[in-house]
Amino acid sequence: DWPKNARGAMACNAVAALSVSPDPAALVAVDSISRKFKFRQVKAAAAAALERAAQALGITAEELADRIVPTLDFAPDGSRVFDYGPRKFTVRLTPSLELAVTTEAGKTVKSMPSPGKTDDPEKAPAAYEAYKALKKQIKTTITAQRARLEMALSAQRCWESEAWQKLFVDNPVMHQFAISLIWGVYKNNELKETFRFMEDGSFNTVDEEEY
């Protein structure tokens, strides 16, 4: 609203303030603004704020963007449990980057149900609100990371092995992106071999052998 109403400088200051917040979600928002935002002035301010934050840490802006990718409280296996008290629901991020909800019996339901009379009066509403927040967060995160990966592909970006594993193997959200891509191993900017990261956490060669 600020840049729409001739207050672009205020919006730029707000972006700079976000970049020094201790909450990683704030930096994620700044990163998203720096990549796709209608107003160039604010977009440039976001990029400059990220660059300053990266310099303070002695890393590149892209390395900083890697570090701040949220896990959204998903466990390493890609699940997140929502506790209603007498019943629990497990949410997973599917390979199509959508949220799948299952009951304790393993039955898939279309969405998280509203709290009922028999549910815990404190736990259930909190869990339901947390799920609604997750739906918004996952949409923002997926959009931002998809744009980042498209940029990485066009720039032919490479990662060191340890950094790649931390981002794509250890982070359950990025795991879903990784399993849909073919990856290359480079040495001196030359492609040596390719592999796939599988849904079960293993790695395969082009011949379907373990990598």
Side-chain angles (χ1 to χ4, degrees), residues 11 28 80-81 117 168 195 204 206:
V28 173
R80 180 173 168 181
V81 177
K117 293 181 179 180
F168 292 104
F195 68 92
N204 275 14
V206 67

Side-chain angles (χ1 to χ4, degrees), residues 2 8 19 25-26 48 51-52 54 61 65 90 102 120 126 128 150 153-154 159 179-180 182 189 204:
W2 284 332
S19 72
E51 193 63 45
R52 287 194 299 272
T90 299
T102 56
D120 187 288
Y128 186 64
E150 289 174 355
L153 179 63
S154 64
W159 286 263
I179 61 177
S180 65
I182 297 173
N189 294 321
N204 275 14

Side-chain angles (χ1 to χ4, degrees), residues 32-195:
S32 179
I33 292 170
S34 74
R35 296 176 191 281
K36 286 188 176 181
F37 201 70
K38 184 177 180 179
F39 300 95
R40 292 183 181 179
Q41 180 188 15
V42 183
K43 183 178 179 182
L50 276 180
E51 193 63 45
R52 287 194 299 272
Q55 288 176 357
L57 293 170
I59 58 178
T60 67
E62 282 302 321
E63 288 173 330
L64 174 60
D66 286 346
R67 289 190 185 186
I68 63 175
V69 178
T71 63
L72 302 180
D73 293 327
F74 282 103
D77 67 353
S79 67
R80 180 173 168 181
V81 177
F82 290 81
D83 188 356
Y84 276 41
R87 53 181 181 158
K88 295 181 176 68
F89 299 91
T90 299
V91 174
R92 294 181 183 276
L93 187 62
T94 68
S96 59
L97 303 174
E98 296 177 347
L99 296 176
V101 183
T102 56
T103 65
E104 289 180 282
K107 181 182 178 181
T108 300
V109 293
K110 288 185 177 181
S111 185
M112 188 71 67
S114 300
K117 293 181 179 180
T118 60
D119 292 322
D120 187 288
E122 293 184 3
K123 286 184 176 181
Y128 186 64
E129 289 302 315
Y131 175 74
K132 289 199 294 185
L134 175 62
K135 287 182 70 175
K136 293 181 180 179
Q137 292 168 339
I138 199 68
K139 184 177 180 180
T140 301
T141 301
I142 293 303
T143 299
Q145 298 311 314
R146 181 178 285 122
R148 283 215 316 131
L149 286 176
E150 289 174 355
M151 187 77 72
L153 179 63
S154 64
Q156 296 186 319
R157 184 185 174 197
C158 290
W159 286 263
E160 294 290 340
S161 176
E162 185 178 346
W164 184 88
Q165 290 188 57
K166 188 172 183 179
L167 177 60
F168 292 104
V169 177
D170 297 345
N171 187 307
V173 176
M174 298 306 289
H175 185 153
Q176 297 303 329
F177 280 105
I179 61 177
S180 65
L181 299 169
I182 297 173
W183 297 91
V185 178
Y186 292 80
K187 188 174 182 180
N188 298 324
N189 294 321
E190 184 180 340
L191 179 64
K192 295 297 182 181
E193 51 195 346
T194 59
F195 68 92

